[in-house]
Amino acid sequence: MAVPVRTHPARISPVEFTSAEQAAAFIGDRCLHDGPVGRVGLEVEAHCFDLDDPLRRPDWDELSQAIASVPPLPGGSRITVEPGGAVELSGPPSDGPCAAIAGLLADRAVLRTAFTRRGLGLVLLGADPVRPTQRVNPGPRYQAMEQFFAASGSAEPGAAMMTSTASVQVNLDAGPRAGWAERVRLAHALGPTMIAITANSPLLGGQFTGWKSSRQRVWGQLDSARCGPVLGADGDDPASDWARYALRAPVMLVNAPEAVPVTNWVPFADWADGRAVLGGRRPTEADLEYHLTTLFPPVRPRRWLEIRYLDSVPDALWPAVVFTLTTLLDDPGAAAIAAAATAPVATAWDRAARIGLADRRLQESAITCVSAAAERAPAELVESMGQLVRSVQQGRCPADDFADLAVSHGIATAVSQLVKGEF
């Protein structure tokens, strides 16, 4: 009797795609999860500064030691470090925005206290206002990304994106399949209005850029095939739109097994169809999953909706911003109001980033949207929502407050006051 040969799972060769069509089907089947709405996940990035010398960028060892000193976080957030040393808190999915906000606020308080004891401050701005770009995270993925941007002629904006920008990211359920198209369209249509509301990066590299959101400007300078909006001509089939977008986007990195940059333009479709060969083979499912993590559209399908277009804003405001965005997408009545209000400015991405609420139509959309959310806000968010409503009605965004501080006291002093929590 023959004895069956047992093959260790790790030694089984991964299955390679035989066509772009097969890869598209893989993406379409997995990009959105059919189910109810209600869960909210939050990620908040903060620039890390030396309390005594804000012009100095803390190095990797300092950051690692500071993180090691943080006690268990009550809200269960995960701590990670961005390429330039920004510290990110990623909260677990929560039932509704209020639970997600409360958990992340609690974790931010613990994190700030631990970092302050190490002489470090965490500042919520959309872009680093003073320090030159510099990568401190030694991860091989980030080294390879750096090489990719240099080879593709976008070294400067690529470095700024990786090391000098920070955001508040909101992750929401995709919702029932029948409503995917409408929900994804609204998530995109809200982009310019929410960018105008949250713009908080008027300076980059020690200079005023002329943009309220220099963070959004940096993203706009990168390849639109990787960083532009996903929606197709009509937006009626977001799964197909995402598959088309992903297959047209050039491959940035190949794991072999470490991340290796691809320095020529190879759309993933060409790799899957065999018109180009990377790593001596066609791509596997793991290669495709990895490729998707190198695409950075303002709304990214990851079974849920990952909304990536908000600048990092102060603790007094981001809870209201999160509640507003979540309510406008998850509450049917508020969503209907938002869809009508944002329609005239649904594609004004650059204008929103450049002049924010100084644009009359963007301000009108913002007032309508924020007011709809404020009417639905619970008691614990009344103060934050009130501040947001007042700012929008005055046509101001957080960038205006920081710019005023920088003009009045000088850029270095303004940054020092933010780092020490004096403003």
Side-chain angles (χ1 to χ4, degrees):
M1 180 177 176
V3 177
V5 177
R6 297 185 179 275
T7 304
H8 192 281
R11 297 177 183 171
I12 297 175
S13 298
V15 177
E16 298 177 355
F17 288 112
T18 58
S19 68
E21 183 179 1
Q22 185 185 18
F26 179 88
I27 297 170
D29 288 344
R30 293 163 175 80
C31 69
L32 295 172
H33 174 72
D34 182 12
V37 301
R39 290 181 305 167
V40 179
L42 301 178
E43 301 175 28
V44 174
E45 296 171 341
H47 300 286
C48 185
F49 289 89
D50 184 323
L51 289 173
D52 295 324
D53 182 7
L55 298 182
R56 186 184 74 82
R57 192 181 293 267
D59 62 29
W60 181 248
D61 287 342
E62 289 176 272
L63 290 166
S64 299
Q65 291 167 14
I67 291 172
S69 74
V70 178
L73 297 178
S77 294
R78 183 168 56 97
I79 306 171
T80 55
V81 179
E82 295 299 304
V87 179
E88 179 179 83
L89 279 179
S90 302
S94 299
D95 291 331
C98 293
I101 290 166
L104 205 61
L105 281 172
D107 290 350
R108 279 225 359 114
V110 173
L111 183 71
R112 284 200 312 272
T113 298
F115 268 58
T116 299
R117 289 185 182 128
R118 311 286 301 197
L120 302 174
L122 297 171
V123 176
L124 297 174
L125 280 170
D128 188 325
V130 286
R131 298 175 299 191
T133 59
Q134 180 188 352
R135 180 174 58 83
V136 298
N137 188 325
R141 172 183 167 97
Y142 298 133
Q143 294 180 43
M145 287 177 67
E146 206 170 51
Q147 295 170 43
F148 170 86
F149 285 125
S152 62
S154 54
E156 186 175 342
M161 179 274 284
M162 291 175 64
T163 71
S164 297
T165 64
S167 71
V168 173
Q169 185 173 295
V170 181
N171 302 315
L172 302 176
D173 289 314
R177 182 183 299 270
W180 284 353
E182 183 179 6
R183 186 167 173 78
V184 173
R185 275 198 300 268
L186 180 55
H188 281 81
L190 279 164
T193 297
M194 295 303 301
I195 287 169
I197 290 171
T198 63
N200 191 31
S201 44
L203 291 104
L204 183 66
Q207 296 182 333
F208 282 96
T209 64
W211 291 60
K212 303 281 188 178
S213 176
S214 301
R215 173 186 175 273
Q216 188 66 24
R217 181 196 184 199
V218 165
W219 283 96
Q221 292 173 327
L222 295 171
D223 176 21
S224 62
R226 166 165 272 106
C227 301
V230 170
L231 283 186
D234 53 27
D236 287 338
D237 186 357
S240 294
D241 286 341
W242 178 230
R244 189 179 305 111
Y245 182 102
L247 292 177
R248 288 177 177 173
V251 180
M252 174 185 275
L253 310 172
V254 174
N255 276 329
E258 294 291 346
V260 176
V262 178
T263 55
N264 53 328
W265 185 279
V266 179
F268 194 93
D270 287 1
W271 190 16
D273 277 334
R275 290 191 294 270
V277 177
L278 300 175
R281 55 179 172 76
R282 289 200 188 191
T284 65
E285 291 181 358
D287 290 316
L288 180 50
E289 294 280 12
Y290 192 69
H291 172 64
L292 296 179
T293 71
T294 69
L295 307 181
F296 310 110
V299 180
R300 182 164 65 175
R302 297 192 63 186
R303 298 186 67 77
W304 60 91
L305 296 182
E306 187 181 79
I307 300 174
R308 306 170 49 84
Y309 45 61
L310 305 173
D311 272 15
S312 191
V313 295
D315 281 314
L317 277 184
W318 71 252
V321 168
V322 167
F323 182 80
T324 296
L325 182 58
T326 303
T327 300
L328 297 177
L329 282 163
D330 284 3
D331 181 287
I337 293 170
T342 58
V345 291
T347 59
W349 297 89
D350 282 353
R351 190 164 182 78
R354 191 169 62 252
I355 66 173
L357 296 175
D359 180 274
R360 177 184 57 80
R361 295 193 306 166
L362 282 164
Q363 188 190 15
E364 290 174 351
S365 174
I367 289 173
T368 301
C369 288
V370 170
S371 297
E375 292 172 358
R376 295 161 169 81
E380 62 266 31
L381 290 179
V382 165
E383 184 176 350
S384 183
M385 284 301 308
Q387 183 172 333
L388 184 63
V389 169
R390 288 190 296 273
S391 295
V392 170
Q393 289 175 339
Q394 293 167 5
R396 292 179 64 84
C397 59
D400 296 312
D401 296 332
F402 180 59
D404 287 350
L405 185 68
V407 169
S408 298
H409 301 282
I411 295 172
T413 300
V415 172
S416 180
Q417 289 180 342
L418 280 184
V419 172
K420 295 177 181 177
E422 297 172 353
F423 174 75

